[in-house]
Amino acid sequence: MTLNAHPDPDENKLVEALKRGEQAAFTEAVSTYSAGMLAVARYYVDPANAEEIVQDCWVTVIDAIRRFEGRSGLKTWLHRIVANRCKNQLRTSHREITTDFSERLEPELDSRFNASGRWATPPKLRFDESADALLENGALSDCLDKHLGHLPESQRSALILYEAHQHKSDDVCNILDVSASNLRVMLHRARQKIFLMVETFQETGEC
Amino acid sequence: MLMCRELAGIASDYIDGELNTGRRLSVQMHLMMCRHCRSFIGNLRASTELLRGHSSARVEQSVIDRINHHVTEALSHRTEDPDSDR
Ligand SMILES: [Zn+2]
């Protein structure tokens, strides 16, 4: 017996419609899931290739969806298809993904401690506002977009899958082909960068 | 004893509940005594929530449209020739 780990009725309905090849269902699914799929693809290949890969994956899905049994959620399943296709492509092009996993602290943050490991330049901001209130600040939201755009692809994809898509660590490791400890470091570093960004923004009003 | 720099390095794990009990306790001990680190953890947590609330994976509608166009085309070939995929 296969137990559906994500008994989301809307998702089940969508999957059934996809299995019947209904065009409206595909349009809906493409709009809902492509952003995440692109994030996965961009981890492995450059942005122009990423779009092509996601396109090809959707065409594959037209047939493959019939074999979807719902053991994982639809989103995870789609992300795995994209990851596998990218990995195959990398294997033929012999490209390597390089990421710096050595340090747990961003250099800019590291420089704020003194030799004995205490804060020399302590955090300046009072972060009393809730995240929602902060997000209503359009300028900060734009600034966040900009900084996310500047993150190394590896960190950005890890962040998007883990934070925005709420994937479990195991799934992210599997999709991005990284160890649990490397994933932790990518998340650390990305969050630290966002922290530094918000701090500067609140202090100076500049991005 | 845990120093501020070291705490900053594992702050993310602390926030996500990924530390073992011993480490977690030493972080909590440190936080009781150090307001800078309290502030840092608070800031990092808020940054994380900020990211969670921010749909960081948005893509341009034109990209979605292109993908949809491609898929629609593939689907129409499929319905013209329903046996081709078996
Ligand atoms: Zn401290």
Side-chain angles (χ1 to χ4, degrees):
Chain A
M1 192 185 87
T2 344
L3 208 71
N4 191 338
H6 300 258
D8 175 350
D10 288 339
E11 185 175 305
N12 287 345
K13 230 181 262 172
L14 180 63
V15 168
E16 289 313 313
L18 290 173
K19 285 184 178 176
R20 290 192 297 270
E22 287 175 20
Q23 197 191 305
F26 274 93
T27 306
E28 184 192 335
V30 165
S31 307
T32 310
Y33 297 106
S34 292
M37 292 163 78
L38 281 162
V40 174
R42 282 178 188 158
Y43 174 78
Y44 290 102
V45 300
D46 61 70
N49 271 328
E51 187 179 329
E52 202 181 308
I53 282 184
V54 171
Q55 252 176 32
D56 291 348
C57 283
W58 276 114
V59 174
T60 317
V61 165
I62 295 174
D63 288 327
I65 190 70
R66 301 199 187 112
R67 298 190 296 275
F68 176 75
E69 290 168 338
R71 260 185 237 121
S72 61
L74 179 60
K75 184 166 69 185
T76 307
W77 185 75
L78 290 167
H79 287 179
R80 286 207 188 113
I81 290 179
V82 175
N84 287 335
R85 181 167 284 242
C86 291
K87 285 183 221 172
N88 281 333
Q89 184 158 326
L90 287 181
R91 219 162 281 140
T92 48
S93 70
H94 303 286
R95 218 193 85 188
E96 295 263 323
I97 294 170
T98 46
T99 19
D100 175 19
F101 295 128
S102 48
E103 296 296 336
R104 296 178 70 85
L105 285 180
E106 280 296 306
E108 195 188 333
L109 185 60
D110 201 20
S111 68
R112 292 171 61 166
F113 298 93
N114 63 25
S116 62
R118 291 198 175 84
W119 286 99
T121 316
K124 292 176 206 90
L125 52 131
R126 311 199 67 82
F127 225 138
D128 306 327
E129 291 181 78
S130 72
D132 285 344
L134 283 169
L135 272 181
E136 277 166 21
N137 183 335
L140 178 60
S141 182
D142 289 348
C143 186
L144 199 54
D145 272 336
K146 189 175 133 196
H147 279 259
L148 281 167
H150 289 166
L151 287 180
E153 293 293 346
S154 57
Q155 289 179 14
R156 181 170 43 199
S157 299
L159 263 187
I160 290 174
L161 295 185
Y162 188 79
E163 312 282 18
H165 286 273
Q166 305 268 288
H167 273 308
K168 289 196 282 298
S169 306
D170 287 356
D171 284 334
V172 183
C173 290
N174 187 295
I175 290 164
L176 301 186
D177 224 1
V178 290
S179 69
S181 58
N182 285 351
L183 172 65
R184 297 299 318 164
V185 175
M186 285 195 278
L187 287 172
H188 283 310
R189 300 276 301 250
R191 285 175 181 173
Q192 286 164 20
K193 283 197 182 125
I194 299 301
F195 155 72
L196 292 166
M197 181 277 281
V198 178
E199 190 182 53
T200 309
F201 184 85
Q202 289 219 322
E203 213 185 13
T204 65
E206 274 165 35
C207 185
Chain B
M1 217 200 88
L2 191 68
M3 296 309 292
C4 303
R5 184 180 179 280
E6 205 185 334
L7 186 143
I10 58 172
S12 238
D13 291 333
Y14 177 71
I15 289 173
D16 288 345
E18 299 266 344
L19 292 179
N20 64 36
T21 315
R23 290 292 262 180
R24 196 174 64 242
L25 284 176
S26 57
V27 170
Q28 282 164 348
M29 287 278 283
H30 184 109
L31 289 179
M32 279 195 281
M33 297 177 300
C34 178
R35 70 187 170 91
H36 293 324
C37 282
R38 277 203 300 277
S39 159
F40 178 71
I41 290 268
N43 291 350
L44 200 65
R45 187 175 272 140
S47 305
T48 306
E49 276 166 28
L50 195 61
L51 271 169
R52 225 160 258 182
H54 186 78
S55 62
S56 45
R58 273 178 302 184
V59 284
E60 284 166 38
Q61 188 57 39
S62 60
V63 175
I64 301 291
D65 290 344
R66 278 200 297 275
I67 297 174
N68 257 323
H69 180 78
H70 197 78
V71 172
T72 306
E73 206 146 88
L75 267 173
S76 68
H77 289 305
R78 206 54 47 115
T79 35
E80 279 161 21
D81 187 7
D83 295 325
S84 65
D85 56 328
R86 295 275 152 149

